[in-house]
Amino acid sequence: AQSVTQPDIHITVSEGASLELRCNYSYGATPYLFWYVQSPGQGLQLLLKYFSGDTLVQGIKGFEAEFKRSQSSFNLRKPSVHWSDAAEYFCAVANFGNEKLTFGTGTRLTIIP
Amino acid sequence: EPEVTQTPSHQVTQMGQEVILRCVPISNHLYFYWYRQILGQKVEFLVSFYNNEISEKSEIFDDQFSVERPDGSNFTLKIRSTKLEDSAMYFCASSRDRANQPQHFGDGTRLSIL
């Protein structure tokens, strides 16, 4: 069965600093990978997705993620965080032909001045 | 940009009562989903729906749950006899295609069972 691990429950970053959120997945074939963001009281907003092709994908709000098959990872990055990036971030995986999304446990991001 | 809309935003129900959560998916989407998130836990898949039938469901989606697309726009989740452990945030999602199009989520319905 597919699974997603987000090893960091909570990360605190200074505004303007760089950010990397980790995601590892377990799946036999090439998965479809996603990052979603959830602000307090809000739904899940898609940041970016990877299906195939270029392993570095660009998303909204200045985020990017890199798919590394050898490490089974899909880490999310941002070069300079803004206070408005404070939220919960979820990595998710789906299989080709199976539309169910499997989510990680999430990483809560706190931004300090 | 088109959105998935869910109503109500918060539903409070007595244990044992039936509850219906409503969703309006994005209009040209063909695949519909329900997920739930118990407070402090991860988002869990409940069910997917395509062509007027369930295409996949999880272990959570037992006989107490049902889904329906009663007309061309609404997609509903019904819980027949609610339990305390059904308290959660329920998210509706839709996608245009099965796997190579991302799922778009609504803002959720917070269900509180008393």
Side-chain angles (χ1 to χ4, degrees):
Chain A
Q2 62 198 35
S3 66
V4 178
T5 302
Q6 293 181 249
D8 303 306
I9 296 172
H10 186 200
I11 283 183
T12 300
V13 177
S14 297
E15 189 168 15
S18 64
L19 170 71
E20 182 167 26
L21 302 183
R22 297 183 290 166
C23 172
N24 293 94
Y25 65 90
S26 171
Y27 179 58
T30 300
Y32 295 153
L33 294 158
F34 308 84
W35 275 98
Y36 284 87
V37 61
Q38 184 181 32
S39 298
Q42 302 290 312
L44 296 159
Q45 182 183 22
L46 179 70
L47 284 176
L48 47 77
K49 61 186 185 292
Y50 172 78
F51 292 141
S52 64
D54 192 348
T55 56
L56 184 64
V57 293
Q58 303 296 321
I60 62 171
K61 303 185 180 186
F63 286 92
E64 66 178 25
E66 186 171 13
F67 170 60
K68 292 185 178 179
R69 183 191 302 274
S70 62
Q71 298 176 20
S72 297
S73 69
F74 188 57
N75 294 348
L76 182 71
R77 301 194 293 249
K78 185 169 184 177
S80 176
V81 297
H82 186 262
W83 64 267
S84 60
D85 293 325
E88 187 103 19
Y89 291 79
F90 292 93
C91 182
V93 62
N95 306 337
F96 176 76
N98 179 342
E99 58 268 30
K100 172 180 80 173
L101 282 176
T102 298
F103 284 85
T105 50
T107 297
R108 185 158 61 91
L109 176 64
T110 298
I111 309 295
I112 57 175
Chain B
E1 184 176 321
E3 292 181 342
V4 175
T5 56
Q6 292 185 241
T7 55
S9 57
H10 190 192
Q11 174 82 44
V12 181
T13 302
Q14 292 287 333
M15 186 173 59
Q17 296 297 306
E18 175 184 286
V19 66
I20 297 176
L21 309 182
R22 303 181 190 281
C23 169
V24 179
I26 295 173
S27 62
N28 64 347
H29 285 189
L30 302 176
Y31 293 83
F32 314 112
Y33 314 86
W34 284 101
Y35 292 81
R36 79 171 186 191
Q37 184 182 30
I38 295 172
L39 187 64
Q41 299 185 24
K42 64 180 177 180
V43 178
E44 300 173 289
F45 170 79
L46 290 178
V47 65
S48 57
F49 191 86
Y50 170 71
N51 199 25
N52 281 320
E53 61 183 26
I54 290 173
S55 48
E56 187 176 358
K57 60 183 181 180
S58 72
E59 296 173 347
I60 304 167
F61 195 88
D62 61 21
D63 292 344
Q64 293 299 313
F65 291 87
S66 62
V67 289
E68 191 178 33
R69 188 155 161 81
D71 53 43
S73 60
N74 291 286
F75 179 51
T76 61
L77 174 69
K78 182 194 291 187
I79 309 174
R80 287 188 186 80
S81 178
T82 50
K83 309 181 188 69
L84 293 176
E85 54 265 36
D86 293 327
S87 295
M89 181 74 92
Y90 287 80
F91 291 106
C92 174
S94 69
S95 65
R96 204 170 68 206
D97 201 344
R98 173 172 288 186
N100 65 352
Q101 294 293 328
Q103 295 176 25
H104 295 262
F105 284 77
D107 284 345
T109 293
R110 178 165 299 283
L111 178 63
S112 299
I113 308 300
L114 304 179

